[in-house]
Amino acid sequence: MKKKLLFMVFAALAITTTATNAQTTVWDFGNSTDWPVISGYSTNTVVQNFGIFPGENTDGVPFSTTGQVELSSSGAYADGYTAAKRFKFNGSSYETGFSPLSTPPTKRYFYFAAAGPVTVKVWFRTGGSGLRTLYVTDGTNIVGSLGSESSNDRLILTTNYTGTTATNLYITSDNGININKIEVTGALGTTQTLGVNDFDQIATKVHSFKNQVFVSNVLTATEVKVYNVLGALVKSFTTSSDTDFQLNQTGLFIVNVKTDEGEKSVKVLLN
């Protein structure tokens, strides 16, 4: 009898410990006073451990309405949740012609630091007609996605990041989408403000002049991939030292560099 009782006590303790470690973080843009009505953010900002990356156009002008919070009733979701405000992308996270399946976002995205495996849940509605899709990515792979062709649909995306190492997770879209709430279950890290054009904070730098692309401050083996506006890979190589190269093409390109430190994508305009 004593052994049975002792086993029951241990089992109860195990259940209590598991429940205590299941940390849940909620960013309720639709109702919380932590997210007042605002026209948007023009600089990379972290609010309530949640990152907002507006980015900028090819002329260096910030997308200042990214993360706009405005009054707008969501109606009732299937689980009964309602919101009085919405949190807006105000455009795509990707350059025209680029696919979330082949390139990281360069503008209008949101991010947070995950300390390990987490479950991400997003309440949202699309911002107009045509298929629009919300993505959760880890910088390299799509963790989950959900879309709709109707802005009347109230969508709840639930997906699991199963990686065991700490990383940033990114909320992106291929068009204008309105978020009401994000809930993350699992341990979070401290979200650090990303730099301009940085998909992640790594030492390697990329810039261009006329039709020349320069990759500098290379500290370790660095994989370089260049994509055109159609999302096609036009150049790929690995380098362990500073380098530069020419492209016999003009226009907008995305240069993606990846090292053991992380990854970043940089827009370059060649002429």
Side-chain angles (χ1 to χ4, degrees):
M1 181 68 181
K2 289 184 178 179
K3 288 183 178 179
K4 184 176 180 180
L5 181 60
L6 190 60
F7 174 79
M8 293 174 63
V9 171
F10 282 146
L13 286 174
I15 293 171
T16 303
T17 302
T18 302
T20 302
N21 291 337
Q23 172 185 335
T24 298
T25 300
V26 178
W27 295 290
D28 188 351
F29 311 105
N31 298 297
S32 173
T33 56
D34 291 334
W35 299 93
V37 172
I38 187 174
S39 60
Y41 298 81
S42 58
T43 59
N44 307 324
T45 306
V46 174
V47 180
Q48 303 292 325
N49 208 31
F50 184 83
I52 301 159
F53 189 104
E56 56 190 34
N57 64 22
T58 54
D59 295 325
V61 179
F63 295 108
S64 59
T65 59
T66 304
Q68 178 183 10
V69 179
E70 66 180 17
L71 294 173
S72 180
S73 175
S74 69
Y77 284 82
D79 62 355
Y81 170 76
T82 62
K85 297 174 291 184
R86 60 185 179 183
F87 183 76
K88 305 178 70 175
F89 280 92
N90 274 320
S92 173
S93 304
Y94 303 89
E95 302 301 330
T96 302
F98 286 86
S99 166
L101 298 175
S102 60
T103 53
T106 59
K107 58 187 178 182
R108 302 188 191 98
Y109 62 81
F110 312 117
Y111 58 97
F112 59 89
V118 294
T119 297
V120 182
K121 192 172 181 179
V122 186
W123 289 254
F124 71 99
R125 295 174 67 179
T126 64
S129 60
L131 178 62
R132 301 185 179 199
T133 304
L134 182 85
Y135 298 89
V136 178
T137 84
D138 63 3
T140 302
N141 304 296
I142 293 175
V143 176
S145 64
L146 182 64
S148 173
E149 294 186 353
S150 173
S151 60
N152 293 322
D153 291 339
R154 295 159 181 84
L155 306 173
I156 304 175
L157 168 63
T158 302
T159 189
N160 296 309
Y161 169 68
T162 57
T164 57
T165 58
T167 188
N168 277 339
L169 292 181
Y170 305 87
I171 311 293
T172 72
S173 74
D174 59 6
N175 211 320
I177 281 178
N178 305 312
I179 298 176
N180 293 121
K181 183 169 72 167
I182 298 174
E183 178 183 286
V184 180
T185 302
L188 296 185
T190 301
T191 303
Q192 303 291 332
T193 305
L194 299 183
V196 175
N197 283 327
D198 289 359
F199 187 64
D200 207 344
Q201 292 179 307
I202 66 175
T204 310
K205 305 297 181 185
V206 177
H207 72 279
S208 64
F209 179 72
K210 294 185 177 180
N211 70 336
Q212 197 87 2
V213 179
F214 299 86
V215 182
S216 59
N217 203 28
V218 176
L219 304 180
T220 60
T222 300
E223 181 183 49
V224 181
K225 292 183 177 180
V226 184
Y227 299 88
N228 65 17
V229 293
L230 298 178
L233 180 67
V234 297
K235 191 175 184 67
S236 177
F237 63 92
T238 299
T239 181
S240 295
S241 60
D242 292 6
T243 188
D244 61 271
F245 58 90
Q246 289 183 342
L247 290 180
N248 296 321
Q249 303 177 49
T250 60
L252 182 67
F253 295 83
I254 299 294
V255 181
N256 177 253
V257 292
K258 185 176 182 180
T259 74
D260 290 340
E261 300 174 274
E263 185 174 2
K264 75 166 60 171
S265 289
V266 179
K267 293 178 289 187
V268 296
L269 185 62
L270 305 183
N271 50 50

